[in-house]
Structures are given as structure tokens and as C-alpha cells.
Amino acid sequence: PPCWALRRDLSTTAALGSSRCVARADLYYRRAPLAASLEPTSATTAARFSLAASGMRRLAAAALAAAALLRPASSECSKHIRFGTFDEANPYAALAPSQWLDDDEVCWVYYRQLSGGRAVAHLDSGELDVAMLGSTPYATAVARGAALTAVAVLHNKGTAQALVVRCALHGPQDLRGTTIATPRYSTTHYILLAALDEAGLDHVETAELPSAGAAAAADRVTVVTISPTEIEAAWSAGRIDGGAVWGNTLVNLTSADWGGSPPSGCQPEPAHEMITAEMLALWGYETLNVLAVRNAFLSRNEALVERLAAGIVRANADYRLASERGRWAAGPGGEYNSLVSAFVALEAPGYDSNVTLARVADRVAKFEYPTAEQQLEEQSYLAAQIEKQADFMFSQKVLASIPNASGTDVYATYFNASFLEAALAAGAASGFDSDGPRASPLAPLQQESVLTPCAGWAVEVVNASHAPVLAPHWPPPHAGGGGGAYRTDESCVWAVAVEEPTQCVELRLPFLSSEPPHDVLEVFSSSGLLISSFTGRASPPNATVRACANSTTLAGAAAVGTALTADRDLDVSLPEAGAFLAMFLRWSTDGHDEMQLGNYTAVGFRASVSLEGDASDCPSCGPHGVADSAGGSCGCRCDAGYAGSSCELETCNGVVTRSEAEGAVRATAVGRYDAYSRCGWLLTGGGAPFVALNLSSIRLELGFDEVRVYEGGVIPASFSAASTTSDDFLFSTFGSSPAATLAVRTPAFVAFTSDGVWSGSGFELAWSAQQAACETDADCSGRGSCRDGECRCDVGAYGPTCSFEKCVGLSTIEGAVAGMLQAIDDSQDDYLSSVACRWELAMPTTIESLDPPLSVTGLRLNFSLFELEEPQVTNPDLGIRSSTTDAVRVLDGNGTILDTFSSTSNANRPTMGEAIALDGPPPFTLRFDTDINNPRPYRGFRAFFLAATKEETLCHAEHFPCTDVEKPECRLFAGEAHGYCTAKSSPPTSALLPASLAATFAVLLLIGGLCCVVQRRRRRRLKGIIKEAEREFARWEPLPEEHRGATALRAQLTESILRVRSSLSFRGTDVGDSRPGSGNASPAARGVRSLPKRQRPRVVSAVGLPEERYHCFLSHVWSSGQDQARALKGQLQRYVQNIQPFLDVDNLDDTARLEEHVGNSEVVIVLLTGSTPARSCPSSPPGGARSDYFGSANCLRELHAAVARSKPLLLVLETDPTHGGVPLEVHRSACPAELRAKVFSAPLVTWHRLRPFQMCSMRLLIAELLRAWKAPGAERPIFLPGDLCRSPPPQLATKRTWHLCYSRDNEGAAELVARLERASEQQLRATADAEQMRSSAALLLYLDGATFGGAGLPDRSKDGAASEGLVRLVRRALDDGIPMVLVHEQRSVPEAVSFDEIIRRTPAELVSAGIYRPIATPLLDEPHAAVAVRLVLNNLDLICRRIERHNSGVIGSLTALAESLTRIDMDGDGEIGNSPTRSSEHAPGSAPKPRLKWRRRTPPEKVASCV
């Protein structure tokens, strides 16, 4: 017999009777590929078929195997086309086993797909080139923006797909309380949900099978989305009641007994069909299949696609013309039918040889096949059906979003009918001719490897003489260049160790090809942290992974090894004690084999591991990284967007640990992140307790790709084999969310994951270490208070800095017995989708303020608002009704769900204002889980909570009144809104206070009285001063109207006097030293003020326009201006009410209508961006800058249309070179001559990335828009929230003699100081005397190209002595710990240079000493220069506040005492003890004067300044 027939018994002598078979047997057990000179074998090709149980499957297998053995070795294919197919029986299946589409250069390889959802992901991510898709996965792909195109309709589903159920289920009304399975995103998924919707049945959808024996929800249908293979297994185990399926799974379910316990009166029997696709089509839910092609493949291979479409049309026509006759016969002579049978039977065992051909013929006939002419005539109908399916799946929470209102046109653009037209023109409608498909020879089939399965757990100790090659099941070659497939449902783990604790190993991965993301090679560190993961076949990784051992022995890493092999329950054996672990490798596959059919290619992976130096040896990091020895071992710190041990990967991969105090990363360096990304960044903050994270430029797919932030060392299980924590993330974001700023406890972990459909530009993450989450209330976004270094957010504010107005992630409420929870802020109208908000009520287990103390036994809730999504008709025209899973759940300390509230029914909806009692142990958790979308806005919920005790002792005056008639009164605790229930004769709350507390209170009263007596004299003297000031003020004459500023000053003076008098009268405060900047300044002197009415934020509103008209047209080029245009649109919609901007990605349905849309816009905003080729080094001169905008044909079309229609133009110039910023002259020179004068006479606004400067740009842009619209009041000033230039300057309160010290050797610093003084309203005190630096709060350093004059370099540009003097001053400031205020000159002046150049010219000793640790403030051209000045003042104010907080603490008090005793200024603040040694009004260098004595003749202006 041939060798392939003996494969299962190769170990026996009888089976190896010939030397040829012995040689072949040897091939199966080699771990490396054989030399190309060996004769290829086809034994592996046929092995899959030899496993057939009986009947036609065995005959078909034998035919395929024999044909493969006789098939001559073909020449190497120059191109392999990857074609995704299913196990459906249709005429097109005859093309695959016959290899009818192949020629000498192009080989079509067919991959068996498990479901349409997988096929779409593989197609869009580049794993497949062509695929047969059901209409539902095709519709979801179009709605998600996948890059694919349909070129033909294959068939309507007819009766080929059905919902099959067990016995005793006869109609949809019987499905309530059952569990039905279906593959997600499939047409059967759509059929099932449509049937439930038509029957009025509610359902809940899950991706996990219920545990064995678990009862399904009795009032609804449980829909489980799993693969066809899993559906068959669940059916056999009796864990599902039915399935919506197709193909072989449909055949297997209807021929196999159900494995569950049958209900009474029901005998075990196979499934029966309840609803078919044909039945749903009669109800208006028509389903079909299309032939889809990846756009990138289509653009480069139109001839191949035309050839494929012609083959599809021929097969369609040939079957319809012959029906079940001739070559399509179900019996002898049915050559085409036998090809279809062989193709379908690849993995479906158990066919009866007598009925297989007839059964397959019957399956082919279940479909309906429209002709090519019908497809061309009904393109609009096809688009409408695809749109309906997308809308329906959106309403059923399968899609996060759908295209805009012109959806039908969007779907129509995804169908290219030109290939059908070409096929008809070539005569394909006549069917096959004499060169049609042939059943012999048949295509080779890739099978599972015959090698022994991997051990599951293996240990490799690497040394100089042992460098293992890891290639499990490496296939022997065959005629097409491929080999056997790796095994399915397998998990192999290798522990790689070395003999010394400082040695490192390097994993090289020259080859990997697998089905993503289910078959994957993962690399873990010795601690279990995911270093890298590799999956897919679109592009070989050719990657390296370097890892070093540490003191952890293999015995110490046993827990990680056990976790990695937990799903296999393997025995983790350990080698000798002298080995040290370096890394783990895990290769895992799922239960599906794609079964390549045709001239297939190799699959699996090949890797080698070898020693790679010691931990102290730095690897080569290539052009995209630098060596970094932080953390004890030297590795590569890659540039933002790059990854890998040598920074060779252009997108993120695995977990990267960053230990520096500040830095930045990106998801990708090439514009689009990878499909199936799994990336993480572990940020330690350089040992600081917190890191400030800034997420910006976020562009992820809504609902599918996500960034999550964890704090305090929490790492999710998907990134660490050693993780035992739950997935309690602090924050998550997706879609095109606005930038987010968080303060996170270290170590912080940022996780990014994506699926296989649609990849965006990702995100940017910048971080910086800080000592606390907040320092002042201002750090809490004005929506909370800073307590103990953490923000306590107001109700409706969320996030570590209270910056979010909608709940996200985890919020912990410490020690609260009562309070209020709210999903969103009152200013918002819609909560977020795809979030899991959690409130942990960490209340005490015992209420100690009660006498006697009582234990908490439960929780009471009272909802004053409950507006969650409820099922409703979302599309009356299509008759679509939405479903929802949005719900609020309450859990106790044991994790038990106490209650669930939702809007799905009246029974689940709470009654407003009615208290709800829930019993359970604390701490309690409220979870607010939302589904993937909201069809319309919903406000969420507002709930009041109160701890419950055994006798309902606690109460709330408004929401939880006392119900006990014996204790009807709610006596509130001091300073609280809640209290306890008591009888009216009960003692007051103070009687419940312990005696010790009352005694302490009495002592404090006594001490307070003594303090009042001691301070009485000073208060009396100050009262006299105030009265004198009042009398002096009363003598002032009213000023004329033109002196409005002086009148305002007198009004402020009056307010200040009243505030001081109020403080003296009611609190007995000793004002003390109230000079400006003093720590004892009065509220007025500290800036207690409000903006004049004319300076408050003005609401800007645009006049309403009819549909299809826009207030402004955002003209931009995609390559470098897309993110700016998106950000600009968002900002305009935020600050201008009713505005309708036009943005092509949102509003453009056809590029032919560009001019029309320009004509329908009031103003055209031109976003000028360009590009600059990368320079080899920072010092190389810039060159080659070009204008991307004026190089775009579509942008020039928009400009010509705007000029022709006399539309007002507004220019917005990008300034950041890394985001498309090039000089304006580059754009001017690139602009066509006929447009130049018109374009560049338009108003120009520069665009900046930093928010303070961006707010200024937005104010200027909105003002120009109002002028262009000729809006009433357009000349009035605009004040936007957060605009620094429209708020009062900070007060710069400090006891230091000087705010700033600067050097006269620092050219430009004096001019800057003068401007700072004007901006601070003359509050700023600055000195150029270097001897006074220790009496200053900070040192100002103005940075430009001449700052250090190129110190140490031959191109010195200023006097050497002056430069050395500045260097000495800066070095002294760094040694003394004087804070630095850095200002970087970026105006259009000759001295302005890049920051890299400034660092290059700075002496190395200053750089290493940390001169650039503070962030420099950019000084930009007007009007943004005013913003820069305000940022400098704010920075200085923060430094002053820190100094004052330090001096006011225990250390400051001790220092003051020591200074009083020694008369030495120890802290350099210019004071001895608590008394200033120098007044701010003394001339620099003069002797200290005594404190100012208040006298009767003090001028009024002096009184005003002191008050």
C-alpha cells in the first residue's frame, strides 16, 4: 500500500515494509526542514482524509490522496492568493479542490473559516485576500469601516441555514427560558435575533457557555455566541437547547441526539428545524452571501479579481442551466457534485456512502442563485438589505456605531459591479466549457502533523554548548513548498533557564504563521509578565526577544509555570537547583484547523534560543532606540511607537517597563496600530508615589479597541501569568475620546487591546512623576477638593483629578455611611456606552457614633433619577426595535448580587423616591454596566444610599425618614445630612459623645479663651487702624465716570475693609502682617475677586441652518491634517452652540460633490499642514519641507471652489513639526499663483497642541468666524472657559524677599522680567543681584541660542566671561536647590533654536545636574506670548505655594525657632525666625528696616496696598 495509508501505524515493522516508506517515516520525526533536494512527499497531504470513519468521506479522501501522489511536483508559485471559504455546499466549491483558478504563477489557497466574524477580521487585517462572506458579517464590516469590497452576490440563503432545537420546542413561544447558541456576527446570528424580535421575546447575549447544570433565565432567551465546533460539543453535552447554524454543523445537529435530560413526555431525538432563513426572508429579513475582496489586494490585482468573478459567474450559470443533470448529477457522472462533496467533507465525518452525493446535491439546491444580470439590476436593493442588517445589529447591541443618515449610499459604495459586467462581456453567463473543473488530480490538503505532540511542559537550560531550536511539528516539505499543519487545541510551555544569575538569552523568531489571534506564541518574563506575543501570517515577525535571568530560580518560578499550564493540568517538573530562569515560552492553539487546500504554505513557528551576554551588556538598539541600564540590566528604550528587544517592531507589542520619571509612548510609529494588538506599559515613575498620565490623539475603534488604566500594581491576567487580581481598571477610553489627564498611584499599568477590524492611529501617552495626586484644590479641575494628596470629587465628577463628567472605571468612597451617587454630571445628557462603572462603598462594619454601636446589616437606596436605555423602536421605516443590557447592580461584601435595576421592564425599574432595603454584609459595590451603544441620550441615574442597621436606627431627613412610630424624629449628626431615629424626648446628639471627647472639647475652649486674651491688644490696635482707614476713605470725593478703574479700586477697598471687620467681629482673626505676598494677607489681598460681568465667558451661538448647509468647511489633507481637523471640529462644537461644521470623514458621501459642499458652507477653514523628511541627526539643518495641503488635488479643488464662490477663507497654520508643521512661506510658495493673493490675504490663526495656547487659538478662530458670518456683536470680546488671558493673575504669595532672581548675563531675561511685572499687576519682585538668589523663590533662565553661547564649543556666540558667569550662577542654584523657571524662546527671532540645540550647547555638567528637569514654557509669537507669560506666572505661583507650605509645617517651625536663637537666616528666605529681614519695598542691598508702623498720616494708597 502507499505510504499515506500506513501513516497511523508507522511504528510497526510490517507497516515499514519498503525502504521508501521507512525514509518517509523518518521525515515525520525530523525537527528541522529537509534540504530542498529531497523528493517531496504527498503523504501528509492525504492523512487528513485517511481518518474518515466510513462511506464517501473515505472514498473522497482516497481519491484526493491518490491524486496527490500522482500529481507531479509543480513549480514554485510566485504568488499565493489566500481565499477564505466555509463548509457550505454550493457550485463555487467545485473551484477549490479542482484548482481551476491556478496557473503556473498564481496559486489559490483555500482556508476553511469557522465563522463570518473571523473571516471579516482576517480579511481586513490582511490575513486573507478574498473571502466568501454572509450578508450580516459583510454588513457589520461595512458599518465598522473595514477596507473591503464586494464584487458579486453568491447566493441567497434559502433553507440552507436554520434555527434547530431539541424536542418539546415547537415554536418561538417555547424558546423563553432556553439557551440558544450561534456564531457571533454570522447570518444565523441575525436570523436568530430577528426571530426573537418578531416573537416579542427578550434575550440576553453572552460569549460564555453557562456552567453545566445552571438554569437559564426563565423570562428570556439566553443567546450564547460561540463557534460551530463548540456548538456541536455543547449540543452533545446537553448544555444548549438549540443552535442557529449552517453547513456541516446543521447536518450534524440534525443527525445527532441531544445530550441533555429530555423534559417529561419528550424522547431523545436529533434536532429539528424550527425557523429557516427562507422563512425570515418572507418576514423581510433576507440573507445572502457575497464575494468580498480586500481593497489593497483589489487595487493591485484587478486582473486576478476579474478572473475570479468570471469563475464565479460560470459556476453559477453552469449549475442553473444543468440543475441536477450531467456533471451536477447526484449519482454517477456527477463530477462537479463529487468535487463539492469532497470539499464539504474535509472535516465532517459520518457520511453514508450511499446517500452522500444525494445529500450534498440536496444541500446545494437549498440556496437560491441570482444571475449576474439580476445582481446588476438590484444593486440598490442589495444596499438596502445590507443597511437594514447593519441597523438591526446596531439596535441589538452587536455594533457600536453605524454610518450616518445617508447609510444606503455608503453601503452602495462597497459593491463594485464592474467585475460582473466584465464577466458577462466575456461570455461567462454560458457556464463552463470543455476546460471546466476536473475531479482529477485534486488539490493537496494540509493535515495535522504526525509528530509526537509537544510535551506540554519542557525545560531548556541554555549554555555555550546547548542552544535549542524550538520547532514543534515542523512540517516536512511537499510539492507546493508547505507541510503539515500544527496540532489543534494544544498548549506547549518551555521554561528557558541559564546557569548564571546574570546571563541573558535571546529568542530569534525567523518564521511564524498561524491563525490570529487564537493560535499564538507568547513570551513571558521570569516573573510572568508578558514580554511579547506573535500571531498571524500577513507578515513574518523576524523578531528577537532578549531576557535576562535574576535571582529567581526555577523552583521560585514554579507558580508562574503552573499558571501557564493551568488549562492543561500538567506536572511542572523542575531541573537542578543551579539553574536560573530567564523566560517562559507558550505556544497555544484553539480547536479549529483552517485546513489549507491547494498549493499551501508552511504553518507553525520556528525559533531558536541562545546565550546573549550578561545583564550589564547593552544590546544594539538600532535607529529607533537607545540603551538603558535602569532596573539593573541593560536593555533598549525604544522611541515612541516602536517595540521589540532591538526596537525593530513598528507597533507596540507586549509589556514594556518604564522606570524613568517622565516620558512618552505611542501605540504605533507608522500611522495605524496592528490588528490584535496586546500592549502594556508598566510605569514606576522613578520611585515617585504617583504619575500624571496624559492620553491624547486618541483614535481607536469605538466599542472594540480600548485603553485601560490600572493603578497600584494591578495588572490584568491577559498581560501577566502571575496575576491574581480582578480586572478593576481605574479608567478606560475608546473611539475618538477627548484627551484625558489622570494622576495614578504607582506602579501604574496602561493596557491597550484591539481586534482584527479597522485600526486607527492609536493614542499618545505622556507621563511625569509627582508626589501626590493633587497639591491644591485647583488640581482637582474645580470639581472637587484636595485632601491628603488625593482629590475628593463632587457628585457627578469622576477620575483621579475629577476631570470627567461621566462615570468611568472605579470610584472608591471611603468610610461613607450615607451619600449620593450619580452616573453623569447634571450638565451632561448621555452616559457613556461600553463602560463598567463601579462605586465601592467602603463603609465601616460598625457605626461607632451610635450608643451603643450597631453593626451594618445592609444598604438602603433611594433613586431620585433613573433614566437608563429601554427597548424601543429605533427605525420605524424598517420596523427595528432595540434591546439593551444597561443595568445597575448592587453587590455585597461576598460578591452576591442583591438586586438589579434596569429599564427593560417595570418590574426591574425602581420607583422614584421610594426607599429600597437590601440585606447583606459590607462593603457594598454598585456596578453600572452599559452595552455597546445608546440609540439616543439617556441621563443615567441618581441614587442616595444609607447604611442599614438591624432596627433601622439611621435616617436621612429627606430620603430615608424614620418609620418607627416610637422614634419618629431624625436627629442629625453634627455637620452631616444623616442621623439617627429617636423619640422626641431623647437627649441631644452631644449626650452621645464619650466623656473623654467632651473633656477634650472643654480644654480646647479654655485654650481658645486664653489665646483671645493674649491677642486682645493686637486686635484693638488693628481695629483702630481700620477705623482710621474708613474715616480717610469717607473724605474721598466721588470720581468722574471716566475714572472707572479708580472707582473699582475704591469698591474693592471697601470690600476689603468689610471683610477684615467681619473676620475680627465673628472669628477674632489676627490679620497681622497683611502686606502683599505675606502669608497672613487678607482675603482681598489674596485675590478674592470675581471677573467683571463683561469678562465672564460669553456664550457664542451660530444661527441655525437648513439641512445640507454648514457653518464652516474644514478643508484639510488626510496625510498630515486629519487629527487636527477632528480636534478642531470637536472644539468648535464644544464652544459654539448649534454650529454645523463639515468634515469629510463625517459628512462626505461622494467626492464628486466636494464643490457642492463648499458652496453650501458659509466659511472655508483651510488647515495648512505639510511634512519634513526625517533628518539624520538633530543638528542637521532642516530642508525639504513641503506643503501637503497644496500638494493635494482634492484640497485644490476645494480652494478653487471657495474662491470661485467668494467664500470667506480662514487659514489655520499647524506649528508642530512632528504633526505637519512647516513654515508659512513653504505653503505660500506651493500655492498656485492664481490663488496666492486671495488665499494669503485671509486671516491667519496658528494652531498649537498645548491646551492653554490652543484655547487662545480657538478664541481667535471663533472671533474670525463671527466676523466672517457678520454676526451681531462680532466685535465684542470672547472669553472661553480656561482662557488664561481672561482670568486675574495669581497673587504670588511668598515671604521671600524676591519672587525671581535673574542674571544680567542671560540676554533677554530682563525684557522678560519687565513683561512679567506688567502681567502680574506689579506684584512681581525681581532682582538681578546674584547675592540675593537664596532670598528668591526661583531663578529665571531665558533659553535661546545665545544663552550659554555654545559654552565649551568653538561656535561661541557671546562674551566668554558673561557665559561663564551665567554657568556659575546656574550651577550654584542647582547646588542650593533653588527652583528653576525655564522659558524657551520660540518666537520668530534669529536667536530662536530647537530645544535639542539648546541642550547641545549647554555644558554637560549642568545637563547631568538636572537643569532641564523642570518643563520649559515656550515663548511664542503674539498673541500667544501673553499666554506664555501667564503660564510662567502660574508656575512661579505654584513654587511660592510649595515654599510656604513647607515653611508652615513642623520643619518650618523648627527652622524659625533655630533662626530666632542663632539670628542666622538658615532657610534663605530673607527672614530671621518669623519676622522678615527685608521688606519688599526696600531697595536691593540696603539695610533691613523695622516693620512699618501704622500712623495717622499714612497715605490712602498705602493703606489700600497693606489691606
Side-chain angles (χ1 to χ4, degrees), residues 849 971-980 989-990 993:
S849 55
R971 183 90 30 102
L972 302 183
F973 294 121
E976 300 287 352
H978 66 282
Y980 62 97
T989 305
S990 59
L993 296 175

Side-chain angles (χ1 to χ4, degrees), residues 124-252:
D124 191 54
S125 61
E127 302 293 329
L128 294 175
D129 302 311
V130 185
M132 296 179 176
L133 296 179
S135 53
T136 302
Y138 170 65
T140 60
V142 173
R144 294 176 62 182
L148 52 83
T149 299
V151 297
V153 174
L154 299 175
H155 50 64
N156 294 344
K157 292 297 185 181
T159 59
Q161 295 190 342
L163 168 61
V164 294
V165 294
R166 60 166 173 81
C167 62
L169 301 177
H170 306 290
Q173 70 279 0
D174 300 327
L175 295 178
R176 185 176 283 109
T178 63
T179 300
I180 308 296
T182 189
R184 188 168 176 81
Y185 303 119
S186 63
T187 48
T188 55
H189 192 191
Y190 174 67
I191 290 170
L192 174 60
L193 297 183
L196 298 179
D197 186 64
E198 286 292 325
L201 297 176
D202 291 330
H203 75 276
V204 59
E205 191 166 307
T206 176
E208 299 289 339
L209 264 174
S211 57
D219 61 338
R220 62 189 62 195
V221 180
T222 301
V223 176
V224 183
T225 53
I226 53 179
S227 69
T229 305
E230 294 169 317
I231 291 175
E232 292 187 35
W235 174 262
S236 299
R239 298 178 64 181
I240 58 175
D241 299 290
V245 290
W246 69 86
N248 291 342
T249 304
L250 177 61
V251 173
N252 293 341

Side-chain angles (χ1 to χ4, degrees), residues 1266-1284:
L1266 292 175
R1267 295 189 187 98
W1269 293 336
K1270 299 179 181 179
E1275 299 304 322
R1276 290 170 50 201
I1278 297 173
F1279 308 99
L1280 302 180
D1283 193 346
L1284 291 180

Side-chain angles (χ1 to χ4, degrees), residues 31-52:
R31 286 189 169 271
L34 297 178
S37 60
L38 289 178
E39 179 187 356
T41 178
S42 301
T44 56
T45 303
R48 167 74 65 180
F49 299 104
S50 68
L51 298 177

Side-chain angles (χ1 to χ4, degrees), residues 122 242 276 415 1081 1160 1364:
H122 294 347
T276 65
F415 188 85
N1160 290 336
E1364 292 300 326

